[in-house]
Amino acid sequence: PQVCWLAPEQTAGKQKPYMYTQGQAVLNRSFFPCFDTPSVKFTYSATVKVPEGFTAVMSATSWEKQKDNTFVFKMSQPIPSYLIALVVGDIVSADVGPRSRVWAEPCLIEAAKKEYDGVIEEFLVVGEKLFGPYVWGRYDILFMPPSFPFGGMENPCLTFVTPCLLAGDRSLVDVIIHEISHSWFGNLVTNASWGEFWLNEGFTMYAQRRISTEVYGLPYTCLEAATGRALLRQHMDATGEDHPLNKLRVVIEPGLWGINPDDTYNETPYEKGYCFVSYLAHLVGDQSKFDAFLQAYVNRFKFQSITADDTLAFFLEYFPELKKKGVDSIPGFEFDRWLNTPGWPPYLPDLSPGQQLMKPAEELAELWAADGLNMEAIEAVDITGWRTYQLVYFLDQVLQKSPLPEGNVERLSKMYPKISKAQNAELRLRWCQIILKNNLEAEYSKVKDFLHSQGKQKYTLPLYRAMWGGSEATRALAMETFSATAPQLHVNVQNYVKKILGLQVAE
């Protein structure tokens, strides 16, 4: 299950096959013999021989090409097994910074270079200022074939990402901040068990939003965090707040067959974890003091695997005055309750600075949902300066109000080509959902084109659900699109779509 073999039609170039590995959470045991647990860290080396016309790359600190198309890799820093990754394909690279290059199939490399030139170094420098030295040497990005089902995987020295990030206008470059933040939280300081995955993801979400605040300002970061909070709300409404997976400390019983840590994956460790780290910052009450704590935390536990108890004990030791005040047992906010009680976070960080970006988006959506369109008021709102998450927030509001009165969506489409003709995948997803919810048959081809262009799970499944839950015409569109694109999709995504469409899933 660890090694994904892609036929040529599942790649961007459609000429040569491709192979990649995905180790998280417990799949690398099927790739090489290892202690496949995040509690064990080790260095590794590998020798990989590939056919002529192919290149191999790995998550390693050094590599060299020898004769006979043989590549030798060494990772000189100890890492957990899940971070070992290999790609073999028709790939080339281009430098985009003093310690960064982009890797991609030849047909994507120009777009990748244009999108990321100079960008990564800016984020790395801010990360180092906040969390301490970047210890991995290089930070390269590998743009995977379009069938790659995930957004990104933070393999050290070589992050794997979806080609959906190549929007053509740098409007999605900030997505990489999350993977960069893993260089400190996850890769350097690692959860010792998958039951405490929030130590990787909650701290990374916090770090991502700290970097984003430094680069883009607080209002934009609050808007992005509000989008995350809405996802957590959706997840908890769907599963029920008291579902045992909605705890930060998830019980993955040893000795029980059939519990796969991947099955516990959801929004909780990310967004509820982020709220808990924000709560710790709130207890400290001073951002620069909390930043200094995070640096000390990374320095204290680097190259180790730790538990939440280690983290919280270090927090109280670092701030003895808080320990003396008994902050770990304030009624309703006990550390124990955060870890072991399912449900909505007891503390939510203040996202009100995001209001200055949300309010105009909400008001504009209201105008578009009205029976008689007030074009004067609509034309008075200039959206040319809006960044991705402000546009996403606007489209989410429009989607909630859909179907809109007759003719409104057609006019919206004409008025904002920046949205209706966007190459940005986050905008394309929302626009396609709006097209389907409003039965805008004239633009069904956009849904089809988007599903032909990529196979990312996060974009593919919601669109099939929307088509299948819609009219006869959208159901026919779903069947037609799936039969054309199925060979390009990752097998897991194929199976999820089959379930949505009520088709037989092969055992």
Side-chain angles (χ1 to χ4, degrees), residues 436 439 441 444 467 470-480:
L436 293 167
N439 293 320
E441 294 194 26
Y444 281 175
M467 287 189 280
S471 62
E472 299 247 319
T474 61
R475 285 189 153 208
L477 180 69
M479 282 300 196
E480 176 205 334

Side-chain angles (χ1 to χ4, degrees), residues 128-146:
E128 290 192 298
K129 188 184 90 178
L130 290 170
F131 314 120
Y134 177 77
V135 302
W136 306 100
R138 297 201 63 81
Y139 187 91
D140 290 3
I141 304 183
L142 174 68
F143 288 91
M144 301 293 278

